Amino acid sequence: MDISFKNFKLGFGILLLIFSCTSDPLKHPNVVLIIVDDLGWKDLGCYGSTFYETPTIDRFAKESRLFTNAYAASPVCSPTRAAIMTGKHPARLNITDWIPGMKTQNPKLLTPEDLYELPHKEFTIAEALKENGYKTFFAGKWHLGDENFLPTDQGFDYNFGGHHKGSPPGGYYVPYNNPMLPDGPEGEYLTDRLTDESVKFIEENKDNPFFLCLSFYNVHTPLEPNKEFIKRFEAKLTNLREENIPESIPERDGFTDIKQDNPVYASMVSVVDKNVGKLLNELKSAGLDENTLVIFTSDNGGLTTLRKKTSPTSVLPLRAGKGWCYEGGIRIPLIIRYPKYIEAGSESDAIFMSQDIFPTILDLAKLPLYPKIHQDGMSQANVLKGDTVFVRNTAFWHYPHYHGSAWTPGAAVREGDWKLIRFYEYEETELFNLSTDIGEKNNLIKQHPEKAKALEDKLVQLQLESNAQLPTSNPNYLEE
């Protein structure tokens, strides 16, 4: 899609809005998308955490459909966020690393040059909803470009706090040092502020259909205790029974935490839970909760694996974490509520990718799909309505970069219960059956060479179809 086509679509949408102005403006649902940065698959009570406390989100899950096989489009943030916004795979967008990525000294492989912003030519979910009469609002982490590539350049009417930084430059308390968010009073907490701005937007737009994207900076580093909750978890930690198990286990050149016992991180999870409750309460008090589609998710797996021996969280039984194409780096929480269509308290083991969010929103809102635009996304509306025939059987991840978690360039593909991971630097391939080995402990490549070959061929096919850029050998590499 080029810019001229994008402008044509926008103009056509305005005409549609003019012709439909006499109809009920609330015939389509409001849409609330909540993205928590770096939230791991096991970081919520409803997903099995016993140390962290998320009573509000747990209650929300009982009103919703919870996905056990939901995946981020990438093991790092910017590519996943681009996939959510566009319905395209990060490889097709050529946004395959967090922006601007990590520079590696003496790498064995030269990694592809990818983009540092989401191009204007890309048509986003915000633009699709806006051209159908929605007010659009963004608050929090953007990480898809700086000036001229901000949320307001990609279909959002409002932007509070979204800019090019991936972590809060001033930390979580005032001063924020954020060019897109004026400082509040002394002692104000960033997550509270972003939610307050979101609540204000709902109050001012409750008579119009709206799309609200609340993209928390929590629980991304810097780890900074939330003053409201930290003492609770410090006390909880001292009361935990000591167990004779290590804090971490080796993962190639890194270490993976195997305990959830960080009170600072726990306090940051709790403040997210509190603010999700504040937002949901506003929807209810405004009489909008029955006609609002609410999607709660994360942008990648939890930060469990680093070159040092301690990390903020653990997502056991999943292997590794953020930055890795093992399950711990890509499997994420996903909870979706829409009372008109979704059975409360239900679960699904359907494979659901970040890029599926775009067409699923349009489908549930009874709006036209744009298959040539969100070409890698699949509408999961029927799955949300209870259909047991799943729309997606295959998913792949392309992360051809080095990462501070000790990941080296590689890629992965899942088809059914089988998953293959390719490590380019090590020239190794691993094969797992997730139905019996969710922790990816048993490499079955020697027992099932035909399956490995079929999956590797599938991975190459998917990479070619999406024009994925691969790493190349570094001619100046000096072996240590």
Side-chain angles (χ1 to χ4, degrees):
M1 183 187 68
D2 58 25
I3 295 177
S4 60
F5 179 61
K6 180 173 177 177
N7 290 338
F8 169 78
K9 287 190 62 55
L10 191 58
F12 183 69
I14 292 171
L15 287 175
L16 284 178
L17 180 59
I18 292 171
F19 284 117
S20 63
C21 64
T22 59
S23 61
D24 180 5
L26 290 180
K27 65 181 180 180
H28 302 303
N30 305 302
V31 179
V32 173
L33 173 60
I34 303 170
I35 306 172
V36 187
D37 197 8
D38 284 2
L39 187 72
W41 188 64
K42 284 290 292 290
D43 285 352
L44 303 172
C46 53
Y47 277 90
S49 178
T50 56
F51 185 65
Y52 310 141
E53 298 176 5
T54 55
T56 300
I57 298 171
D58 298 345
R59 285 194 300 272
F60 170 67
K62 292 179 180 178
E63 303 167 351
S64 311
R65 176 150 292 184
L66 181 149
F67 284 80
T68 58
N69 277 293
Y71 287 100
S74 168
V76 293
C77 49
S78 298
T80 296
R81 292 166 184 276
I84 290 172
M85 287 295 140
T86 64
K88 293 182 179 179
H89 195 282
R92 191 181 305 280
L93 294 164
N94 197 28
I95 300 176
T96 50
D97 201 2
W98 63 275
I99 297 172
M102 183 182 78
K103 303 301 180 185
T104 306
Q105 297 296 319
N106 189 35
K108 187 174 181 180
L109 299 177
L110 298 177
T111 58
E113 282 293 327
D114 63 339
L115 299 180
Y116 285 6
E117 63 276 318
L118 183 65
H120 291 150
K121 68 178 182 179
E122 299 298 341
F123 188 73
T124 69
I125 179 61
E127 289 171 303
L129 292 172
K130 185 174 181 176
E131 74 170 22
N132 281 281
Y134 280 68
K135 291 287 187 179
T136 55
F137 174 94
F138 186 91
K141 175 171 173 172
W142 177 243
H143 208 187
L144 290 174
D146 201 354
E147 188 176 356
N148 297 322
F149 294 95
L150 297 171
T152 45
D153 300 302
Q154 299 286 3
F156 288 97
D157 296 316
Y158 305 94
N159 170 33
F160 288 89
H163 63 132
H164 67 291
K165 292 288 187 181
S167 60
Y172 286 93
Y173 282 96
V174 168
Y176 301 130
N177 195 25
N178 185 323
M180 296 296 134
L181 189 67
D183 286 340
E186 183 178 353
E188 182 183 74
Y189 188 77
L190 177 59
T191 309
D192 296 331
R193 169 67 177 282
L194 296 175
T195 307
D196 289 343
E197 296 290 354
S198 301
V199 166
K200 182 180 178 182
F201 171 78
I202 293 173
E203 291 172 345
E204 294 175 350
N205 292 275
K206 58 186 176 183
D207 296 327
N208 306 292
F210 60 78
F211 171 46
L212 186 157
C213 182
L214 177 53
S215 179
F216 291 120
Y217 282 95
N218 290 55
V219 288
H220 196 287
T221 55
L223 291 190
E224 186 174 356
N226 178 269
K227 298 171 185 176
E228 183 178 352
F229 294 102
I230 183 61
K231 290 184 179 179
R232 174 190 302 178
F233 291 101
E234 288 175 339
K236 190 173 185 177
L237 181 63
T238 60
N239 293 328
L240 283 178
R241 180 171 60 89
E242 288 294 326
E243 297 178 348
N244 189 26
I245 58 175
E247 289 288 332
S248 61
I249 55 176
E251 186 61 75
R252 292 193 182 258
D253 292 332
F255 298 89
T256 296
D257 265 35
I258 58 175
K259 293 181 180 179
Q260 289 188 346
D261 60 0
N262 188 319
V264 173
Y265 188 87
S267 75
M268 297 174 73
V269 172
S270 279
V271 78
V272 167
D273 185 73
K274 180 191 81 170
N275 279 283
V276 168
K278 186 188 300 183
L279 192 69
L280 296 177
N281 287 339
E282 173 59 26
L283 290 173
K284 187 173 183 178
S285 64
L288 302 176
D289 53 332
E290 289 294 313
N291 194 48
T292 300
L293 168 64
V294 181
I295 302 173
F296 175 96
T297 193
S298 176
D299 60 349
N300 48 248
L303 183 57
T304 72
T305 309
L306 292 170
R307 291 188 180 274
K308 59 185 181 180
K309 287 194 174 184
T310 57
S311 300
T313 191
S314 169
V315 293
L316 283 182
L318 305 186
R319 184 173 178 179
K322 176 181 178 178
W324 290 75
C325 286
Y326 289 125
E327 292 294 285
I330 52 179
R331 195 180 289 219
I332 55 173
L334 175 66
I335 309 169
I336 303 179
R337 186 184 77 180
Y338 187 22
K340 289 185 177 181
Y341 292 101
I342 299 173
E343 180 185 356
S346 56
E347 288 191 7
S348 176
D349 58 358
I351 298 174
F352 194 120
M353 299 293 296
S354 303
Q355 53 265 37
D356 296 338
I357 290 174
F358 189 145
T360 301
I361 288 174
L362 294 180
D363 209 352
L364 288 173
K366 301 188 184 306
L367 294 172
L369 300 182
Y370 306 122
K372 291 183 179 180
I373 296 174
H374 48 69
Q375 60 194 99
D376 299 308
M378 298 180 178
S379 171
Q380 301 265 8
N382 286 343
V383 174
L384 285 164
K385 295 175 185 178
D387 196 332
T388 56
V389 178
F390 299 156
V391 298
R392 180 182 286 283
N393 188 53
T394 305
F396 85 103
W397 298 266
H398 182 70
Y399 192 34
H401 304 277
Y402 292 92
H403 188 261
S405 63
W407 167 264
T408 57
V413 61
R414 175 176 176 176
E415 190 165 61
D417 292 325
W418 290 93
K419 181 179 171 189
L420 177 137
I421 305 179
R422 181 74 177 136
F423 293 90
Y424 296 125
E425 178 168 310
Y426 302 119
E427 298 182 353
E428 294 176 7
T429 304
E430 297 177 348
L431 178 71
F432 304 100
N433 189 310
L434 297 177
S435 66
T436 57
D437 182 23
I438 195 174
E440 297 170 291
K441 296 178 180 178
N442 304 309
N443 184 0
L444 301 176
I445 196 160
K446 292 182 179 179
Q447 294 94 319
H448 298 278
E450 299 88 358
K451 174 59 72 174
K453 178 64 167 59
L455 278 177
E456 190 154 14
D457 289 347
K458 184 69 173 181
L459 176 61
V460 170
Q461 174 194 341
L462 292 168
Q463 289 173 321
L464 288 171
E465 288 176 357
S466 59
N467 197 29
Q469 306 301 303
L470 295 171
T472 57
S473 297
N474 181 4
N476 299 317
Y477 172 67
L478 297 176
E479 190 142 10
E480 298 175 355

